[in-house]
Amino acid sequence: MTRDEKFMRSALELARQALSLGEVPVGAVVVLGERIIGSGFNSRETDKNSLCHAEIKAINDACKNLNGWRLNNCELFVTLEPCPMCAGAVINSRIKRVIYGASDKKAGSCGSVTDLFALPYNHKPQTVRGVLENECSDILSEFFSQLRLSAVQAGSENGIFFFAEGTLWNDSPQHYMYPGIKELLQKLHENYRILVVSIMSSEELDDIIQAHGLDIYIDCRRSYGMSEGLAKTDVLRMLIKRSRLKRAFCTGSADTDRQAAQTCGLPFVYAAYSSGKVRSCDAAITSPAELLQKITLL
């Protein structure tokens, strides 16, 4: 075990404490030489305070223990890439080195979304990425999986059933794809659980989802309505029952998609835009922005 791995395991123990409290499991320690002088874990929900990130708490603890705000010779070990607030705190406290485990594609400010340490501030910490990355990622994945499961069991989520793969991600102009769909999906995913009704294989879908950087529930039924598959209506009924959403609607690009939604009693929004011409569907939308507007009005 390397020195960096040793202290990252201490941060992981703190992340597990956060997990036990139902918090997003992030842990951090501040190290001076071979001694931990500050520690903290995420407790925003418990403390009802947006400042209670693991890094902020660990830095605060270290400053108290050293009786000063300058942490010039200290290192910060944290299980998740620091956000802008925490990266700013690192700069202001003069920490010399930041070591993190998992990258944060949504808020990471040490290289993922931006790199604050590369900007011309008066202090530039060194950065080490990916120490015990798998373990740090696994504990976060465990938390969010349990969170989604709890939400599904409670029937407390809003959901969108997407029919027709081309509507979502096919770049060919012959399919129902328009600029901005990736950004639309990311925006929708903030408030809706996205369920894809697909005839693509699981492997294909997994690759597509990863490429889009989204966390989407997928239920594949190859060739639905065809030789060996189920009809779209049957698939939709099965997904509605299984997902136990509080509120849901459908979007797709075919009349059979609309018929399935209407049969199941769900609102339907057309997403039909092919080769620059709107298909012969009533109330068809022609852009992601229009789809988002129609969805928010449902």
Side-chain angles (χ1 to χ4, degrees):
M1 182 190 302
T2 67
R3 177 180 178 277
D4 283 355
E5 289 174 344
K6 169 188 170 183
F7 288 115
M8 187 60 75
R9 292 201 180 281
S10 297
L12 272 167
E13 285 302 315
L14 290 162
R16 293 186 182 97
Q17 291 185 44
L19 181 65
S20 69
L21 296 174
E23 300 277 357
V24 177
V26 181
V29 295
V30 175
V31 174
L32 178 60
E34 298 301 317
R35 182 167 59 99
I36 293 175
I37 60 167
S39 61
F41 57 81
N42 178 48
S43 61
R44 286 181 300 176
E45 301 298 332
T46 303
D47 293 327
K48 309 295 188 234
N49 189 330
S50 58
L51 301 178
C52 288
H53 285 206
E55 301 97 312
I56 298 294
K57 294 175 70 176
I59 290 171
N60 184 56
D61 192 29
C63 289
K64 287 181 178 178
N65 288 328
L66 291 182
N67 194 30
W69 63 269
R70 292 181 179 85
L71 304 178
N72 303 68
N73 296 313
C74 296
E75 301 164 288
L76 175 71
F77 292 80
V78 59
T79 57
L80 181 65
E81 181 181 357
C83 71
M85 175 179 71
C86 296
V90 167
I91 292 170
N92 285 320
S93 60
R94 310 293 194 268
I95 287 175
K96 71 173 184 179
R97 187 166 175 259
V98 174
I99 305 92
Y100 68 82
S103 296
D104 186 350
K105 295 180 180 179
K106 293 183 177 180
S109 296
C110 303
S112 291
V113 176
T114 188
D115 188 354
L116 291 184
F117 299 161
L119 296 178
Y121 292 114
N122 60 337
H123 179 68
K124 293 182 180 296
Q126 300 171 26
T127 306
V128 177
R129 304 174 175 88
V131 175
L132 298 184
E133 181 177 7
N134 290 339
E135 292 182 46
C136 293
S137 296
D138 287 348
I139 191 172
L140 287 163
S141 298
E142 177 186 349
F143 170 79
F144 287 111
S145 294
Q146 290 299 320
L147 191 66
R148 285 192 295 272
L149 178 61
S150 297
V152 170
Q153 291 173 340
S156 61
E157 286 185 302
N158 294 323
I160 305 171
F161 292 95
F162 271 101
F163 284 106
E165 296 75 27
T167 305
L168 294 176
W169 43 64
N170 196 318
D171 291 313
S172 170
Q174 283 75 42
H175 291 78
Y176 317 117
M177 175 73 185
Y178 26 69
I181 194 70
K182 175 182 175 181
E183 290 74 17
L184 169 68
L185 288 175
Q186 291 171 331
K187 183 68 176 177
L188 289 175
H189 196 55
E190 294 175 4
N191 299 306
Y192 296 93
R193 184 158 167 245
I194 299 176
L195 300 97
V196 180
V197 185
S198 173
I199 60 173
M200 300 175 78
S201 70
S202 299
E203 293 79 10
E204 290 173 308
L205 275 173
D206 287 343
D207 291 342
I208 290 165
I209 298 308
Q210 289 178 11
H212 281 67
L214 296 170
D215 179 24
I216 298 180
Y217 174 91
I218 306 166
D219 193 280
C220 297
R221 288 293 182 272
R222 176 164 285 282
S223 302
Y224 52 70
M226 299 180 191
S227 56
E228 80 269 14
L230 297 170
K232 287 184 179 180
T233 301
D234 295 329
V235 173
L236 187 56
R237 282 201 184 103
M238 181 167 49
L239 285 175
I240 291 170
K241 182 177 180 180
R242 184 186 302 172
S243 59
R244 299 178 63 186
L245 296 165
K246 180 175 68 175
R247 181 170 169 268
F249 65 91
C250 294
T251 184
S253 55
D255 286 326
T256 52
D257 299 337
R258 179 181 64 173
Q259 291 165 4
Q262 290 176 339
T263 301
C264 295
L266 295 181
F268 183 78
V269 176
Y270 268 115
Y273 190 67
S274 180
S275 301
K277 296 180 180 180
V278 178
R279 287 161 57 92
S280 58
C281 302
D282 55 294
I285 62 98
T286 58
S287 72
E290 188 178 347
L291 177 57
L292 181 59
Q293 183 181 28
K294 286 183 177 292
I295 286 170
T296 55
L297 291 175
L298 288 176

